[in-house]
């Protein structure tokens, strides 16, 4: 997923590793960002695959490593972003990263990515309903645990519904040609 994020960020302009890390933190939150120990080896692998170029430049008294995307990297970005997201513990992060690259896609590819996100979010909403049903039918649980579980479940359902509404809005805008 970081592979997709790096290529997507570079589609607009070259960046330093520091700038890439800051962009990821801004997009998905500080707790989801990658360490430099993950980022720089990834950049080396992308360079070895011919998807980016790495250039050392001296700015002031510091050496900075600039990363630029190649044509192969642009092709790889377009292949990666339209692949349906596998449902696992990183699903939400995958979609957040994909949403950062929507402006780079054709309307058809935007629709494909948003529809996958919509389906996943509908599945999440159904899951939260099952969780609600579980808590509602637990006569042997401590009542306070049931109440807390139901309150948390209400929050989870509302957050997921807001996400689904946002996706629906994006699809509607796409239908209108916006």
């Amino acid at each position: 997923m970081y592979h997709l994020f790096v290529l997507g960020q570079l589609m607009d302009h070259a960046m330093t590793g520091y700038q890439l890390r800051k962009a990821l933190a801004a997009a998905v939150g500080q707790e989801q960002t990658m360490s430099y120990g993950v980022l720089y080896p990834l950049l080396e692998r992308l360079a070895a695959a011919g998807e980016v170029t790495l250039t050392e430049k001296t700015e002031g008294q510091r050496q900075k490593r600039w990363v630029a995307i190649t044509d192969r990297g642009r092709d790889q970005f377009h292949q990666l972003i339209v692949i349906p997201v596998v449902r696992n513990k990183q699903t939400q992060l995958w979609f957040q990263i994909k949403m950062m690259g929507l402006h780079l896609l054709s309307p058809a590819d935007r629709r494909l990515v948003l529809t996958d996100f919509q389906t996943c979010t509908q599945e999440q909403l159904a899951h939260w309903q099952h969780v609600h049903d579980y808590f509602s039918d637990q006569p042997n649980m401590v009542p306070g645990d049931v109440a807390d579980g139901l309150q948390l479940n209400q929050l989870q359902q509302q957050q997921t519904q807001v996400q689904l509404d946002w996706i629906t809005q994006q699809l509607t805008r796409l239908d209108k040609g916006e």
Side-chain angles (χ1 to χ4, degrees), residues 15-104:
M15 300 175 80
T16 65
Y18 176 81
Q19 290 170 328
L20 285 166
R21 189 169 183 273
K22 288 295 185 187
L24 180 63
V28 299
Q30 191 63 37
E31 65 280 351
Q32 295 289 337
T33 196
M34 67 181 131
S35 69
Y36 290 112
V38 171
L39 175 61
Y40 286 108
L42 171 61
L43 295 177
E44 293 291 339
R45 286 192 305 276
L46 295 177
E51 295 176 19
V52 301
T53 58
L54 303 174
T55 307
E56 299 282 337
K57 293 182 184 176
T58 303
E59 295 184 11
Q61 294 181 337
R62 297 196 61 188
Q63 275 287 100
K64 290 189 178 182
R65 179 180 269 181
W66 284 87
V67 187
I69 196 165
T70 64
D71 288 340
R72 179 180 281 180
R74 288 178 189 284
D75 291 343
Q76 182 67 8
F77 168 81
H78 285 289
Q79 289 174 20
L80 289 173
I81 200 164
V82 296
I83 294 172
V85 173
V86 175
R87 306 319 193 241
N88 60 34
K89 66 182 182 176
Q90 294 183 323
T91 299
Q92 191 68 25
L93 185 56
W94 266 105
F95 280 117
Q96 287 176 314
I97 288 171
K98 285 187 172 203
M99 294 306 101
M100 292 293 296
L102 282 182
H103 71 284
L104 302 166

Side-chain angles (χ1 to χ4, degrees), residues 167-178:
I167 297 164
T168 302
Q169 181 182 44
Q170 298 309 306
L171 286 166
T172 299
R173 290 178 65 204
L174 192 57
D175 288 341
K176 292 179 180 178
E178 294 179 22

